[in-house]
Amino acid sequence: MSKVITVTGGSRSGKSVLAEQKAVEYGGRSVLYLATAIPTDEDMKERIRIHQARRDPEWGTYEGYRSLGEVVKNTEKDTILLDCITVLITNILFEEERNFDEITNKEIEDLEAQVMMELSDVIKGARDGNKTLILVTNELGMSVVPAYRLGRIFSDMAGKANQFIASLSDEVYISISGIPLRLK
């Protein structure tokens, strides 16, 4: 029976560690890790290195953020860990050069639709393939509203995406200071 699990939390809250523990619980060493990060600078390269070092070397890895539903559908692995949704959103926002101070509401809606389609496809792929899917995402919007437009667009889009995936999840966890709390 398929299962979708969402793990959320703030930056460095322990959400990826919790998701990796869930992946071991459900998949053991038979896990496909969907890595959405792009190494754009030294800080991101270091974050990626830390995540790679922590992963079981037997796990499969797919690096990318588009057409993940197809990847899930075609993998032989029964457990998939996607880390992370907010990085996927960032990648889609910056695929093309845009002036976010002048972007129209229609363009924002189109970008949101692309994000939601990617998320729908990956969840559908897991459900159709009777797989366990673990989604990692950042919980945003619990602090100051960003002063700049791009920050507000990103925060709003992540919030909508998180609501969407949580509504389709069987289990939802939040990690706060390394302590997991089950919400659903």
Side-chain angles (χ1 to χ4, degrees):
M1 187 159 123
S2 72
K3 181 174 278 227
V4 177
I5 300 167
T6 294
V7 179
T8 190
S11 179
R12 301 286 196 211
S13 65
K15 63 190 173 294
S16 291
V17 170
L18 174 59
E20 291 161 6
Q21 291 168 349
K22 291 288 177 192
V24 169
E25 178 183 332
Y26 286 100
R29 302 187 91 183
S30 180
V31 175
L32 176 63
Y33 189 101
L34 302 177
T36 62
I38 297 171
T40 55
D41 59 22
E42 291 306 312
D43 288 338
M44 185 56 81
K45 287 177 185 174
E46 180 61 12
R47 283 178 180 251
I48 291 169
R49 188 197 64 72
I50 289 167
H51 279 249
Q52 289 171 334
R54 202 171 52 221
R55 285 198 297 266
D56 187 319
E58 295 293 316
W59 289 6
T61 300
Y62 177 86
E63 296 178 356
Y65 63 95
R66 286 290 197 173
S67 303
L68 297 179
E70 285 298 311
V71 175
V72 168
K73 188 170 97 175
N74 294 321
T75 185
E76 295 178 11
K77 308 281 187 181
D78 290 327
T79 300
I80 299 99
L81 192 164
L82 189 163
D83 197 353
C84 99
I85 300 298
T86 44
V87 172
L88 179 149
I89 292 168
T90 300
N91 294 342
I92 290 173
L93 286 173
F94 289 107
E95 277 179 332
E96 298 175 18
E97 196 168 313
R98 293 181 171 87
N99 181 338
F100 286 98
D101 290 326
E102 295 180 10
I103 192 171
T104 67
N105 287 337
K106 173 71 170 110
E107 290 171 303
I108 294 169
E109 289 170 8
D110 290 346
L111 288 166
E112 278 182 5
Q114 290 179 49
V115 168
M116 296 306 180
M117 183 59 69
E118 289 293 336
L119 298 177
S120 294
D121 288 350
V122 76
I123 292 170
K124 182 178 183 338
R127 293 287 190 200
D128 290 350
N130 199 29
K131 299 174 187 295
T132 297
L133 174 65
I134 303 160
L135 302 166
V136 178
T137 189
N138 286 281
E139 189 58 44
L140 304 174
M142 297 178 77
S143 185
V144 176
V145 175
Y148 51 97
R149 187 146 190 246
L150 172 56
R152 290 190 302 274
I153 291 167
F154 174 73
S155 182
D156 289 351
M157 199 174 294
K160 290 176 185 177
N162 288 351
Q163 289 182 58
F164 178 71
I165 63 175
S167 75
L168 298 175
S169 292
D170 302 295
E171 299 175 17
V172 177
Y173 297 87
I174 188 167
S175 183
I176 301 171
S177 301
I179 301 169
L181 300 171
R182 185 171 178 172
L183 303 175
K184 176 180 177 184

